[in-house]
Amino acid sequence: MAIEERKLKEKLQRYNAILDAAEKIMKASGVYNLNMDLVAKETELAKGTLYLYFKSKEEILAALSIKSRNLLLTHFEKSTLNIDNPIEQLKAIAFASFNFFKKYPFYFELIAIYEVNNKLEETAEIQKSINKLINFVNGITIKAKEKGLLNIDLDPIQYTFCLWGMLIGMSQLVKVRGAVMEDYLGFTEKDIINTFMIQLEMGMKK
Amino acid sequence: MAIEERKLKEKLQRYNAILDAAEKIMKASGVYNLNMDLVAKETELAKGTLYLYFKSKEEILAALSIKSRNLLLTHFEKSTLNIDNPIEQLKAIAFASFNFFKKYPFYFELIAIYEVNNKLEETAEIQKSINKLINFVNGITIKAKEKGLLNIDLDPIQYTFCLWGMLIGMSQLVKVRGAVMEDYLGFTEKDIINTFMIQLEMGMKK
Amino acid sequence: MAIEERKLKEKLQRYNAILDAAEKIMKASGVYNLNMDLVAKETELAKGTLYLYFKSKEEILAALSIKSRNLLLTHFEKSTLNIDNPIEQLKAIAFASFNFFKKYPFYFELIAIYEVNNKLEETAEIQKSINKLINFVNGITIKAKEKGLLNIDLDPIQYTFCLWGMLIGMSQLVKVRGAVMEDYLGFTEKDIINTFMIQLEMGMKK
Amino acid sequence: MAIEERKLKEKLQRYNAILDAAEKIMKASGVYNLNMDLVAKETELAKGTLYLYFKSKEEILAALSIKSRNLLLTHFEKSTLNIDNPIEQLKAIAFASFNFFKKYPFYFELIAIYEVNNKLEETAEIQKSINKLINFVNGITIKAKEKGLLNIDLDPIQYTFCLWGMLIGMSQLVKVRGAVMEDYLGFTEKDIINTFMIQLEMGMKK
DNA sequence: CATGAATGAGACTTCATTCAT
DNA sequence: TATGAATGAAGTCTCATTCAT
């Protein structure tokens, strides 16, 4: 079955090549400027071939969005690795978010787009990737609760969602209004993130 | 000058008719599906006529977005009217946001779109409407600080922006994930808003 | 009848104001960018009013074109005033053309457009203004012939037309290719005009 | 590779079909009335398909303009083939121009449009086609100079440009004023061309 | 006479998707 | 599987001219 294996491998390579191309294009010209002609040119595949690997343009977006979330998850994991205190872990996650979104604005867009634009259909797979993120964070929140470190009035799963919502919101704020804040209001991205972190810590602690 | 007056009035009516039509269309098929043909059909005006009132499609969006922000501002104002304590006022504003966005999801989208999509140009007028909102909230935050009610580590203007970011983020969360939460996780929008409010209050207080 | 007189005068003033406005606009943004909205704004008249003075946009163009030709005619007249020899007069006319077109590129365009674009209808009045020019030149050509100064094989009226054709062609050449000639070929507008004049003189003399 | 070959051939055929259609349309309704809807209808292709072959409407115009110039060049070449004397060759070229422009008034328009309308961008390829024409003529002018047949005061390259300018101007004249001359002035196109040729010969000879 | 709001036919271009080979 | 030519609906915007007041 070596032949089949090789074929499978080749298929996977193509699949990834398409994703890479789409990513490269979007990084260069923005998420909204992706189009299938560009992907075809970049991959040196025929346009029709793209549709053998992805049912639609939207599916490419979805795949990249999932990839982004998985990447974010690994960042979350790394950031909490050497920390014991769940509260500190949650704070580390918040920091990791901001760093991630600052470092990879493009991945942020791909994650946020599904939190915003309800024109895009959320498939089961996207849901799954979201859930993985939420579950990871929620595991920590639950631990915090169990250890009595979390404000007693906060329900873990609900708080986890709050955290996610706040992080997305704050990241957008920094992204869209960051320049204005620095230019006209005299404080930096770091400052506002710091301010947010203070209120976050105060808000979650017992 | 009765004639001139009447003409002016008629012009304003047309202007509003166009906005109303655009609003109706977007409510029905989403903010991203607005197009000038539809507006023309809905208003029963010629396409060219639309361009006498708005220089571009984007200008229609901008006008509605400003309208939305102004409306939100009046909700903020009303919600704080009979409250003395600035902290309670800030909480009232948070509640007002959620209510507003629940009641007018469409207006929320029109506000949020400029906080998200950096393809849309922000004109001076849009900026102004944003500033009006921010300034209103900031006035209260400052008062809270002056009265020693705000956490001493929080800078008022920075905290105001944080609040705005969190509110937008939480509103999106509720909007996009509300159904999932209710269907699969066993808590309601109200619950999560409540959870958020708890952490908010704890986070901002001294 | 003082009232009627004044009204007539006012009408003429409006008529000229429209032409002036059109001229100003075209000078600023090119012959092809004239549009009635711009003219209305510049004259501070209503768009409908323009149509009381000119049947169409094309008629404005025609009027200005006639004006241009009349102006060119006066330049021809002046240039020949103090010259006796008809041959020298014809040369003076050629020089006057180049100078005029260099000084008023806009008027040149308005004249040339009717020599080129057969989409534009030539009214009787335009014809008349052309004829005035041709006749003026032709008068000189005839004199040259009578005095035995013109090449015997050249028919005056035919030669006059040739002259007109060559002058328009050479002016266009200088206008369109002038920059290229100076930048890449090492000779100036003056040079090529000079070369043309040499061949012109040799070609017409006995 | 027969398949690839055939495909290439078909592509070329489509390309030419589009050009032919554009040509037909322009012949019928004028150069300025070309539009993509008409081309689509005439070729029985979808509008989008046209854009697979030409990036824009202007590119169709450019392609036809180049084609016209190349065709004119072959006429120049043929017309000089059996002539030794460079002066006679230049005269032959002038005649060839008039014949060509009489025979293909449409091609003339496509050439002249770039000599007149500075709204159209001249691409490198258009420049090249112009240069080919100029160079061909200039080669002969130089030869004439070398053989001492050209008026000693005329610089070859400058004279070549003059010739081009005069020919375009005269062709326009004949085209636009031809009818008038025949109807009211009692001489024919041939007559005036003849007159021009006389002055041309006299003007260039030593 | 004057107004200026309204018209609506165009015009160009883009792009996700299909399908015959 | 792979190709890539073809599709055609969709979309934004312009502007000369008209006409009711």
Side-chain angles (χ1 to χ4, degrees), chain D residues 44-175:
Chain D
E44 295 187 324
L45 291 170
K47 244 191 295 185
T49 308
L50 304 178
Y51 284 86
L52 296 177
Y53 292 87
F54 295 92
K55 267 210 297 289
S56 68
K57 175 185 157 181
E58 209 172 311
E59 209 174 275
I60 295 181
L61 239 60
L64 284 174
S65 177
I66 290 169
K67 186 180 149 192
S68 303
R69 263 183 230 99
N70 289 340
L71 196 58
L72 179 57
L73 181 57
T74 66
H75 277 245
F76 280 3
E77 290 168 342
K78 268 189 215 159
S79 74
T80 54
L81 208 59
N82 299 317
I83 301 177
D84 281 334
N85 184 325
I87 293 291
E88 293 304 313
Q89 283 185 318
L90 290 175
K91 282 167 61 187
I93 281 171
F95 266 125
S97 292
F98 294 123
N99 289 335
F100 180 82
F101 292 150
K102 184 69 191 170
K103 195 167 165 191
Y104 311 110
F106 161 72
Y107 290 135
F108 169 64
E109 244 183 296
L110 276 175
I111 292 174
I113 204 175
Y114 284 88
E115 307 286 330
V116 171
N117 190 335
N118 38 9
K119 212 180 167 183
L120 293 168
E121 215 185 344
E122 268 188 13
T123 64
E125 255 189 311
I126 293 176
Q127 277 291 353
K128 223 175 85 183
S129 74
I130 294 171
N131 288 344
K132 276 199 298 186
L133 267 176
I134 295 287
N135 287 339
F136 177 77
V137 179
N138 199 37
I140 299 177
T141 317
I142 287 172
K143 232 188 302 165
K145 182 82 172 198
E146 287 171 354
K147 295 200 173 177
L149 301 170
L150 194 72
N151 182 325
I152 201 156
D153 293 326
L154 297 174
D155 173 70
I157 180 66
Q158 287 181 33
Y159 183 69
T160 300
F161 270 93
C162 281
L163 193 57
W164 179 245
M166 290 187 288
L167 288 175
I168 294 285
M170 286 302 299
S171 299
Q172 275 171 4
L173 181 81
V174 169
K175 186 174 167 226

Side-chain angles (χ1 to χ4, degrees), chain C residues 1 26 83 91 93-94 102 108 139 141 166 174 191 199:
Chain C
M1 296 301 115
M26 287 162 121
I83 301 177
K91 281 167 62 186
I93 282 171
K102 184 74 191 169
F108 170 64
T141 317
M166 289 188 289
V174 169
D191 291 334
Q199 99 89 40

Side-chain angles (χ1 to χ4, degrees), chain B residues 135-170:
Chain B
N135 287 339
F136 177 77
V137 179
N138 199 36
I140 299 176
T141 316
I142 287 172
K143 234 188 299 166
K145 182 84 174 194
E146 287 171 356
K147 295 201 174 178
L149 302 169
L150 195 71
N151 183 326
I152 202 159
D153 293 327
L154 297 174
D155 173 69
I157 179 68
Q158 288 179 33
Y159 183 70
T160 300
F161 270 93
C162 281
L163 194 55
W164 180 244
M166 289 188 289
L167 288 175
I168 294 284
M170 286 302 299

Side-chain angles (χ1 to χ4, degrees), chain B residues 7 11 14 44-49 52-53:
Chain B
K7 275 194 178 173
K11 244 189 127 165
R14 275 258 197 281
E44 295 187 325
L45 290 172
K47 243 189 296 185
T49 307
L52 296 177
Y53 291 87

